[in-house]
Amino acid sequence: MPAYVIVETNVHDPEQYEQYKAASPGAVHAGGGRFVARGGELAVLEGDWEPSRLVILEFPDLETAKRWYESAEYEDAKKLREGAANLRMVAVAGV
C-alpha cells in the first residue's frame, strides 16, 4: 500500500532554500517517490493550523519512504536547507 510523506515547511532564508528545492526532486525520485503537492496554494478548512508551505510525497510503501529519508541522496539535499527552513515531517501509510 502506498505511503505519504507530509511536510510542513517554514522558510527563513528563501535564497538558500531554493538550493534545497533544486536538489530534492532528484533525491525523491532516486528513493522511489514522487511529488503529489509541492508548495501550491492551500486553504485551511478547519482548525487553526496555518502552514506557510506544504509538500506531499508518495512512495510505494512506508518502508520505502523511511529508506528514502535515510538515503545518502536525501542527506545531501538536507544539508542544503540547514539554517534555511524548519520542517515538520511525517510518513503515513495510505489505504
Side-chain angles (χ1 to χ4, degrees), residues 26-62:
V28 169
H29 181 71
R34 72 179 188 92
F35 285 89
V36 175
R38 190 174 189 202
E41 182 180 357
L42 61 86
V44 175
L45 301 178
E46 189 169 333
D48 59 3
W49 185 30
E50 295 186 29
S52 59
R53 178 179 172 80
L54 283 178
V55 175
I56 301 172
L57 308 172
E58 181 181 50
F59 290 88
D61 53 50
L62 194 55

Side-chain angles (χ1 to χ4, degrees), residues 79-91:
K79 288 177 185 173
L80 295 172
R81 73 160 199 259
E82 287 179 6
N86 292 8
L87 274 66
R88 297 168 78 184
M89 184 183 305
V90 297

Side-chain angles (χ1 to χ4, degrees), residues 16-17 19-20 23-24 27 66 68-85 87 89:
Q16 182 180 343
Y17 189 74
Q19 296 174 34
Y20 169 73
S24 64
K66 289 191 242 178
W68 157 77
Y69 183 78
E70 297 171 354
S71 70
E73 292 88 348
Y74 191 56
E75 284 295 325
D76 289 343
K78 284 192 285 189
K79 288 177 185 173
L80 295 172
R81 73 160 199 259
E82 287 179 6
L87 274 66
M89 184 183 305

